Amino acid sequence: MSGSQERPLRADAARNRARLLDAATEVFTTRGVDVPTEEIARAAGVGVGTLFRHFPTKEALLAAVMVRRLEAIAADTAELAAGADPAGAFFDCFRLVVDRSAGKNEFTQALAAAGVDVHASLQESTTAIRDRLAGLLAGAQRAGAVRADLGLPELLALLVGTGTTMEQLRDDRAARERIYEVVFDGLRPH
Amino acid sequence: MSGSQERPLRADAARNRARLLDAATEVFTTRGVDVPTEEIARAAGVGVGTLFRHFPTKEALLAAVMVRRLEAIAADTAELAAGADPAGAFFDCFRLVVDRSAGKNEFTQALAAAGVDVHASLQESTTAIRDRLAGLLAGAQRAGAVRADLGLPELLALLVGTGTTMEQLRDDRAARERIYEVVFDGLRPH
DNA sequence: GTACAATCGGACTGGCGACTCCGCTTCGAA
DNA sequence: TTCGAAGCGGAGTCGCCAGTCCGATTGTAC
């Protein structure tokens, strides 16, 4: 979806587009998905007209923000996965995905509610992460660090759920750490 | 909040109120919190006017539905908690709360977004559950079935998060069972 | 059976928010 | 420097939905 039509954006247009994405990320994350588009435009220092020229609907903006975050996560997991120890890489990536996904859940929900086919518009970027996680899971299982009966769907669900758990404990780092202990302990073969 | 003013409702009014609660529970659960109030009124077979006489705002209706569900859960945990085995009671209640909380998370979120002080309007009913869970947790820990460093906040967060996890696996009973194994394994002292 | 208070229903209102439109501004190629 | 095209901004449109109002209906006390 990203590389189909290429006409180099005018300098100011490119700058505004970037500002909009930054502002949207910030506003959506801190104040939720229901903020009026006008607020995002204001935060970016542009008019609503500009916002809607760059992103034809609010959902398109939301999707663009999502894609960006997902790509960032994918890139970071790539680094971690390069390490030698498969078990460590798996658990480190688990943490990374959970930590970086704060609020992402609400986004997906909002997108889905708007009738956007989430799996279509985000597929490219989710697939990257999914594949990486599948590889990490397999590696960790081969190394005997994770119970063998766990599939990728369960892992993905667990990542989302753990994200929610962590959001409840936003301001208690020690408690969050205990949750990781519980989950990781549960993931290991008994 | 429930026993302050008592004037016996006229028969039809009581019936409509009950219908509204049933319809709202059904509609909110299956189609989300964003459905127009009119849909709920129609599902209940009454006009919107009637809906708003019984529940002054949409959020009030939402809160009423929540209270009802919470009370039902509280009642059921009471039964389970009466058993002799503290460890079994704890894990059974964990399952029960997770299974019965499907969709509840979104409700709370919607309430909070509307500026309702969730802890005020639902306090009475949440406190019952919270207290029960605290008791069960303490019992299970005393019996050595649950790691001792876990507090009530972590348990509550974990319940919410596990609910989210389960929602991702809605149609795969075996996978859900595996998640329970993971979480319960993690909860036990290693 | 009657009367009246309680309740009903749904047309209507007000406000909000996504999106459009178009006159004005800015970019950048020549 | 010039000029056409690309882009900007924000007032205005439109549809939707929570919540109101009041004439019609129904329950119930006597």
Side-chain angles (χ1 to χ4, degrees):
Chain A
M1 184 161 276
S2 57
S4 40
Q5 33 61 5
E6 300 301 280
R7 204 166 37 82
L9 234 39
R10 226 170 72 175
D12 54 348
R15 185 173 359 107
N16 281 335
R17 189 189 167 84
R19 276 188 193 165
L20 277 165
L21 271 176
D22 287 344
T25 305
E26 164 72 12
V27 172
F28 281 147
T29 310
T30 58
R31 304 189 29 208
V33 180
D34 283 339
V35 286
T37 38
E38 201 201 325
E39 302 254 318
I40 293 163
R42 191 180 314 141
V46 305
V48 272
T50 304
L51 188 156
F52 281 105
R53 194 165 327 93
H54 285 289
F55 305 96
T57 64
K58 189 182 185 182
E59 281 75 36
L61 175 57
L62 210 46
V65 170
M66 282 283 293
V67 167
R68 220 207 198 180
R69 297 187 91 187
L70 287 169
E71 283 174 352
I73 294 177
D76 290 357
T77 57
E79 283 183 31
L80 282 181
D85 168 30
F90 173 82
F91 289 116
D92 285 351
C93 275
F94 193 106
R95 289 183 106 100
L96 187 144
V97 172
V98 169
D99 291 346
R100 298 284 296 277
S101 301
K104 211 193 50 163
N105 210 16
E106 194 195 353
F107 288 22
T108 323
Q109 216 169 291
L111 276 175
V116 177
D117 184 352
V118 182
H119 290 295
S121 54
L122 305 182
Q123 201 165 36
E124 207 174 329
S125 32
T126 52
T127 301
I129 296 186
R130 198 192 312 273
D131 289 353
R132 166 129 311 123
L133 288 169
L136 284 161
L137 174 62
Q141 285 175 326
R142 234 178 289 119
V146 169
R147 48 194 300 163
D149 62 350
L150 215 78
L152 186 59
E154 290 99 302
L155 174 60
L156 295 173
L158 207 49
L159 283 165
V160 175
T162 308
T164 305
T165 305
M166 293 312 189
E167 261 174 67
Q168 313 295 111
L169 299 170
R170 208 164 320 189
D171 29 73
D172 187 343
R173 183 175 297 269
R176 285 208 307 271
E177 203 49 45
R178 250 165 275 142
I179 295 294
Y180 275 129
E181 280 179 34
V182 168
V183 175
F184 289 174
D185 244 50
L187 283 172
R188 281 185 262 273
H190 67 252
Chain B
M1 186 166 273
S2 56
S4 40
Q5 32 62 1
E6 300 302 279
R7 203 165 39 80
L9 234 39
R10 225 170 71 174
D12 53 349
R15 185 173 1 106
N16 281 336
R17 189 190 168 84
R19 277 188 192 164
L20 278 166
L21 272 176
D22 287 345
T25 305
E26 165 72 12
V27 172
F28 282 147
T29 309
T30 58
R31 303 189 30 206
V33 180
D34 282 339
V35 286
T37 38
E38 201 202 324
E39 301 254 319
I40 293 163
R42 191 180 315 141
V46 306
V48 272
T50 304
L51 188 156
F52 281 106
R53 194 164 330 93
H54 285 289
F55 306 96
T57 64
K58 189 182 184 181
E59 281 74 37
L61 174 57
L62 212 45
V65 169
M66 283 283 293
V67 168
R68 221 207 197 180
R69 297 187 92 188
L70 286 169
E71 282 174 352
I73 294 178
D76 291 358
T77 57
E79 281 183 31
L80 282 181
D85 169 30
F90 173 82
F91 289 115
D92 285 352
C93 275
F94 194 106
R95 290 182 104 100
L96 187 144
V97 172
V98 169
D99 291 346
R100 298 284 296 277
S101 300
K104 210 193 51 164
N105 210 14
E106 194 196 352
F107 288 23
T108 323
Q109 216 170 290
L111 277 174
V116 177
D117 184 353
V118 180
H119 290 295
S121 55
L122 305 181
Q123 201 165 37
E124 206 173 330
S125 32
T126 53
T127 301
I129 296 187
R130 197 190 313 271
D131 288 353
R132 166 128 313 123
L133 289 168
L136 284 161
L137 174 62
Q141 285 175 326
R142 233 178 290 119
V146 169
R147 46 194 300 161
D149 62 351
L150 215 78
L152 186 58
E154 290 100 304
L155 174 60
L156 295 173
L158 207 48
L159 284 165
V160 175
T162 308
T164 305
T165 305
M166 293 313 189
E167 261 174 66
Q168 313 294 112
L169 299 169
R170 207 165 319 190
D171 29 74
D172 188 343
R173 181 175 298 270
R176 285 207 308 270
E177 202 50 45
R178 251 167 273 141
I179 295 295
Y180 275 130
E181 280 178 36
V182 167
V183 174
F184 289 173
D185 244 50
L187 282 172
R188 281 184 262 272
H190 65 251

